[in-house]
Amino acid sequence: MIVKKMQFVLLVLFVLFGAASADLGIHLFSGIAQGAAEPFSRGIAAPLLVRCGLVTPEQLLAVFCVLLLVTGALFAGSIACAAGRALQSKMARDGEETGNAKSGF
């Protein structure tokens, strides 16, 4: 039961961090490519980071890389939880089959 809740939390965090990294990446790279005077004023994540004092493209790129790493780690954790649940249910089924065979059913 705990693994199921943990997998749900990891999945929700994965979606949130994935959306934040996609938003920041799209607006960061489109702003740099267009050479806009205010390249980081669009989107949701970039203006929040600019208000926090991260104003240079290098700083925003570093935050984007960290977001990608965290998103990847959350994805790996979610996959590990899913694999653990699948293995746990397989072991439970194998245990039931072995128990039924021993009891004569």
Side-chain angles (χ1 to χ4, degrees):
M1 191 65 154
I2 292 174
V3 175
K4 188 175 182 179
K5 289 179 183 178
M6 185 186 303
Q7 185 180 9
F8 177 74
V9 169
L10 286 172
L11 186 61
V12 168
L13 288 174
F14 170 71
V15 169
L16 291 175
F17 273 85
S21 61
D23 177 62
L24 181 60
I26 289 170
H27 292 97
L28 176 67
F29 291 114
S30 70
I32 290 173
Q34 294 173 357
E38 288 290 325
F40 314 117
S41 61
R42 296 171 300 192
I44 296 170
L48 292 174
L49 293 171
V50 168
R51 284 189 211 122
C52 292
L54 300 170
V55 292
T56 65
E58 292 83 15
Q59 290 172 330
L60 289 174
L61 185 61
V63 170
F64 176 67
C65 290
V66 169
L67 279 174
L68 285 180
L69 287 173
V70 170
T71 303
L74 289 169
F75 179 71
S78 183
I79 294 297
C81 282
R85 283 184 58 206
L87 182 63
Q88 188 178 25
S89 66
K90 183 183 182 310
M91 290 174 61
R93 277 184 276 142
D94 289 347
E96 289 174 2
E97 290 173 4
T98 305
N100 289 339
K102 287 182 182 177
S103 62
F105 288 106

